Amino acid sequence: MRHTLPIAPQFYVTAPQPCPYLPGQSERKLFTALTGEGARALNDTLSKQGFRRSQNVLYRPACSECAACLSARIRVADFEPSRSQRRNIKRNQHLHREATSPWATDEQFTLFRRYLDSRHADGGMADMDIFEFAAMIEETPVRSRVIEYTEKPANPGEKRRGSGRHLSAVCLTDVLDDGLSLVYSFYDPDRIKDGLGTYMILDHIALARQVGLPYVYLGYWVPGSAKMAYKAKFSGLEVYRDGDWHNLGDPEDYGRQPHPLSVRPITEQVAAISLPPAPPARGPRHR
């Protein structure tokens, strides 16, 4: 007897854990596996509904008593850089961008460890080793790129990966059917004043504009979280709430929404998810 996987994705919920963004809150995630021939279509479809990818899993916050986390994306056509963002672009214009296949390197991991030890020493990824890092980069069933930002060689004749190359920042990026999704980024902690995190977002906006993609997905914006405040500084930002995308408006108008009645039950959340059309069934193989 031949056994086949279910056509429709199965959704699950994680056990509650302390929230990394809002003190005193707990978090749960609604998630599903991202595998098989329909992985790319599922990633495209669920990303439009507030989901994010981590390796071969798609997830979305589904906290029982809080709805603060809002998926955020920038409308490329409506983005206008602020004065400080224009200064950021000018300050980092010497960096060279190179998009490569999702393959982890020792150079990336060294920068990643320095970034974590300096910026997120007590975070959930603080104990990641090189094998876990490689899995984060390489285990992708969708169209992904590693975008590296390096110092331009002093001598134009130098090989790009030869002497004089200095890796300053890295972003793991998914290429969706309607945009670029920044899955995870890190940068040289000694260059904190250069705003490399902001620069990578600005450069992704420029890259999306070049290739005709309308959105840049930034992950979650959390009102009240200082870690996420920078995302609200980008014009053209919209957030996913109540089943649709809305202009951000004034960030001060958003509360944490801690009341349990403000959160729909998990069964209702799953029932409201739109799925991509099932791939055509393959005919029987003849011997």
Side-chain angles (χ1 to χ4, degrees), residues 38-59:
R40 186 170 174 180
L42 185 64
N43 190 39
D44 290 339
T45 301
L46 294 194
S47 292
K48 298 181 181 74
Q49 299 171 72
F51 280 79
R52 297 286 293 168
R53 184 182 72 83
S54 177
Q55 295 174 232
N56 58 355
V57 169
L58 285 170
Y59 69 92

Side-chain angles (χ1 to χ4, degrees), residues 63-75:
C63 305
S64 59
E65 298 184 0
C66 181
C69 292
L70 300 171
S71 186
R73 69 185 186 185
I74 297 169
R75 293 189 307 274

Side-chain angles (χ1 to χ4, degrees), residues 19 21-22 25-28 60-72 220-224 239-243 253-266 269:
C19 177
Y21 303 115
L22 300 175
Q25 295 290 109
S26 61
E27 70 166 0
R28 295 187 311 178
R60 187 174 73 183
C63 305
S64 59
E65 298 184 0
C66 181
C69 292
L70 300 171
S71 186
Y220 295 104
W221 175 66
V222 186
V239 293
Y240 188 81
R241 55 186 175 86
D242 300 326
D253 291 340
Y254 290 80
R256 287 170 52 177
Q257 303 179 25
H259 197 281
L261 296 182
S262 68
V263 182
R264 289 189 299 171
I266 290 293
Q269 294 184 41

Side-chain angles (χ1 to χ4, degrees), residues 123-134:
M125 304 173 73
D127 297 328
M128 282 183 66
D129 60 26
I130 191 169
F131 301 105
E132 293 167 320
F133 174 77

Side-chain angles (χ1 to χ4, degrees), residues 104-124:
T105 66
D106 290 338
E107 188 180 22
Q108 293 169 7
F109 180 69
T110 298
L111 181 63
F112 174 74
R113 283 297 344 159
R114 288 179 55 220
Y115 171 78
L116 286 185
D117 293 343
S118 175
R119 304 283 294 167
H120 302 286
D122 58 348

Side-chain angles (χ1 to χ4, degrees), residues 192-252:
I192 185 66
K193 294 182 179 180
D194 290 338
L196 292 174
T198 293
Y199 178 73
M200 282 188 279
I201 296 174
L202 294 169
D203 189 65
H204 275 69
I205 295 170
L207 183 57
R209 184 171 283 139
Q210 291 172 11
V211 297
L213 292 172
Y215 300 107
V216 171
Y217 289 79
L218 299 183
Y220 295 104
W221 175 66
V222 186
S225 170
K227 294 180 181 179
M228 296 295 181
Y230 70 94
K231 296 181 182 180
K233 297 179 181 180
F234 289 85
S235 62
L237 192 74
E238 56 186 28
V239 293
Y240 188 81
R241 55 186 175 86
D242 300 326
D244 206 353
W245 292 93
H246 303 269
N247 292 329
L248 175 66
D250 187 350
E252 298 299 325

